[in-house]
Amino acid sequence: MAQALIFHYRDGDNLLVRLNPFSKLIAMVSYTVIVSSADEAAVFILSLIPLAVAFMIKLPWKEYIKESLFFIALAAMMALFRFAAQHDALEALAPAAAFLSTVLVSMILTDTTMPDKLSRSLGSAMSHVIGKYAYAFSTVIEITLSMIPFIIDSALSMAEARRARGESFISHPLRSLCQLSASILSDLLDKAEVYIDALYSRGYDASAHRGAMPYGACDYALIAMSIASLSIMAAEEVL
């Protein structure tokens, strides 16, 4: 059975794995806001940051690129349509680079963070604002992140099975897409039911208080850098 690597947690021993998930989430959101608002030249410079981090944690590039063809194709379409409208290669490529950088940052977050740890950290941080509802909200985030790999695995497995039966996507693309989508949705609902039954069988309480994860010096430094970067961007926008 085909199994995807993107948006899966991989065991590792590096700085990103040891960081608190909430500090990584703040950094990801800050980076996404900044790269989405930057000018063309800054986008290409900022796009080097997730690339450097990805090399640092040794992402399996060959598999990741193969499984990210949808995002790459989407970025290429964005660039082509923008170039057709503006006839400027730099302005056409910048949004595509920003989009791919955001996707890569998301992959890095899920590659180095377990969904349950992210849920604990997020729930603990938000509980100071919305109380016990924070843990229920973080549980929804945890289940969503846990189901994303199931969707990708199902899509790869079913596409592989269709190729093995000699079915061609090109001959009837719309029908093939509808059939594949229906099969993925059915499989996803079955897996979600099993997942929920397993939680209920363990007496899982979504709104129950869960202990906070510790913050280290690197976490505080990352949060401070993220907030400072956003503040500088906001000041430049005002000026």
Side-chain angles (χ1 to χ4, degrees):
M1 178 184 292
Q3 186 175 27
L5 291 176
I6 60 173
F7 301 115
H8 278 64
Y9 170 74
R10 289 187 307 131
D11 288 329
D13 184 19
N14 55 63
L15 177 61
L16 283 183
V17 173
R18 293 191 293 270
L19 285 174
N20 188 291
F22 187 64
S23 63
K24 289 185 283 187
L25 183 62
I26 291 177
M28 186 194 77
V29 173
S30 301
Y31 177 84
T32 301
V33 172
I34 292 171
V35 78
S36 300
S37 307
D39 56 32
E40 289 80 7
V43 166
F44 294 109
I45 296 174
L46 290 169
S47 64
L48 297 176
I49 297 176
L51 284 174
V53 174
F55 278 109
M56 183 189 73
I57 64 175
K58 298 179 180 180
L59 285 184
W61 284 103
K62 183 178 179 181
E63 291 80 3
Y64 266 54
I65 291 175
K66 180 181 177 182
E67 295 169 6
S68 303
L69 291 179
F70 170 76
F71 300 108
I72 296 172
L74 189 58
M77 290 174 60
M78 291 169 56
L80 287 173
F81 289 143
R82 196 174 182 88
F83 180 76
Q86 299 183 351
H87 303 287
D88 188 314
L90 189 63
E91 290 189 6
L93 291 173
F99 170 72
L100 289 177
S101 297
T102 302
V103 172
L104 181 56
V105 168
S106 302
M107 291 180 180
I108 291 172
L109 176 67
T110 53
D111 185 87
T112 59
T113 309
M114 296 183 67
D116 63 323
K117 289 185 177 181
L118 178 60
S119 175
R120 281 179 55 198
S121 180
L122 184 61
S124 175
M126 294 179 61
S127 64
H128 302 289
V129 180
I130 58 177
K132 66 178 183 179
Y133 298 104
Y135 297 102
F137 175 76
S138 63
T139 299
V140 173
I141 299 297
E142 177 184 353
I143 294 175
T144 301
L145 291 175
S146 299
M147 295 307 297
I148 289 175
F150 289 144
I151 298 173
I152 299 174
D153 290 342
S154 296
L156 288 175
S157 300
M158 291 177 185
E160 185 180 88
R162 287 176 178 272
R163 285 195 299 268
R165 294 197 299 266
E167 297 183 15
S168 176
F169 180 83
I170 299 177
S171 57
H172 301 285
L174 183 58
R175 185 178 69 183
S176 299
L177 181 61
C178 292
Q179 291 176 346
L180 181 61
S181 300
S183 299
I184 293 173
L185 180 59
S186 176
D187 185 60
L188 178 62
L189 291 174
D190 290 339
K191 289 179 178 178
E193 185 177 0
V194 172
Y195 193 92
I196 293 173
D197 287 342
L199 291 177
Y200 279 132
S201 66
R202 296 200 302 266
Y204 185 80
D205 183 4
S207 60
H209 175 79
R210 280 169 279 178
M213 297 187 63
Y215 290 86
C218 292
D219 292 301
Y220 291 117
L222 183 60
I223 293 173
M225 289 175 57
S226 301
I227 296 175
S229 299
L230 284 175
S231 300
I232 293 172
M233 185 198 73
E236 290 180 349
E237 290 289 335
V238 172
L239 296 177

